[in-house]
Amino acid sequence: MNTIHTDQNSSIQEKTLVPEVLPVLTLSELVVFPNIIVPMAVSNEAMVQLINDALGGDKLIGCFTLKPAKNGGEMEIYKTGTCCQIIKMFRVPDGSIRLLVKGISRIVLLEIMRKHPYPLARVDEMQLDRRRPLDLEAMTRSVAENFRRLVDLSPNLSEEVKVALHNVSDPEILTDVIASNLNLETDLK
């Protein structure tokens, strides 16, 4: 992945080069965040084909979470998702696939270009705002410390999360790490 860097005073420091068109892997009750590695299982035949096609190319997919269906209607896709790189895949005898994907960057769904055999969409990468108020560093340290305390008190959060927080100083990455480890409703993530 190529990264473009600009100076600290700019409102945008980096933008990863995400393709304009990505295959869309729709996820039920799972949100993938940038810089987080997520295991997943894929059994839908069309989604298995999507993974196979992505593995034959740049290994990039757009992961978008499905909104819960209202009154038995059709499920909609949240417009914000994550461009992910497939980092590991193995097939299971039942025909399904197990994956490890790594979130690369946040993306916005602009348009579904086709629906079959799997969705293909035009996307745009969300630019990161790198302007930092002076007190943000102190707030970031405080949030990280409070979450480390929460990890100590929670039987559901692993010690590895606490260790990982020591290596995170970027507030956006910190929020993604915290949100991905909290047991929140999908729409809150």
Side-chain angles (χ1 to χ4, degrees):
M1 288 276 152
N2 297 328
T3 303
I4 300 167
H5 295 280
T6 61
D7 73 28
Q8 283 290 67
N9 296 326
S10 174
S11 65
I12 299 154
Q13 184 179 12
E14 56 186 66
K15 183 173 179 176
T16 308
L17 300 177
V18 171
E20 288 182 25
V21 176
L22 282 172
V24 173
L25 180 64
T26 54
L27 308 169
S28 180
E29 299 182 22
L30 175 65
V31 179
V32 180
F33 292 93
N35 302 300
I36 306 292
I37 295 174
V38 178
M40 57 180 68
V42 176
S43 58
N44 176 288
E45 198 173 302
M47 297 298 119
V48 169
Q49 182 181 348
L50 176 154
I51 298 302
N52 289 331
D53 291 352
L55 288 169
D58 58 12
K59 299 181 180 178
L60 296 177
I61 58 175
C63 290
F64 291 88
T65 303
L66 292 168
K67 294 179 182 180
K70 294 179 183 172
N71 300 327
E74 190 175 318
M75 294 181 96
E76 293 180 44
I77 300 173
Y78 284 101
K79 298 296 182 200
T80 301
T82 303
C83 175
C84 295
Q85 181 179 28
I86 300 169
I87 56 175
K88 193 165 203 130
M89 183 277 291
F90 66 93
R91 297 180 196 288
V92 181
D94 68 3
S96 65
I97 292 177
R98 301 297 186 262
L99 299 171
L100 278 181
V101 300
K102 179 181 181 190
I104 304 298
S105 66
R106 274 190 185 81
I107 54 177
V108 177
L109 181 83
L110 300 175
E111 159 189 31
I112 299 282
M113 300 171 62
R114 76 161 198 231
K115 289 189 177 189
H116 301 288
Y118 50 79
L120 195 62
R122 208 165 54 78
V123 299
D124 190 24
E125 181 177 10
M126 294 177 77
Q127 297 178 358
L128 299 177
D129 185 348
R130 292 296 185 189
R131 293 174 292 188
R132 301 289 189 237
L134 295 176
D135 58 348
L136 183 62
E137 188 176 329
M139 287 188 288
T140 301
R141 282 193 309 269
S142 175
V143 168
E145 184 55 37
N146 285 332
F147 191 68
R148 279 192 282 276
R149 280 190 238 144
L150 179 65
V151 171
D152 288 338
L153 297 172
S154 175
N156 300 327
L157 295 171
S158 71
E159 193 68 23
E160 288 82 19
V161 173
K162 187 175 171 182
V163 172
L165 289 175
H166 286 289
N167 299 320
V168 177
S169 60
D170 183 282
E172 284 149 351
I173 295 173
L174 177 66
T175 13
D176 290 341
V177 169
I178 291 171
S180 68
N181 283 285
L182 289 178
N183 188 17
L184 297 172
E185 295 289 324
T186 304
D187 60 337
L188 293 175
K189 287 187 176 192

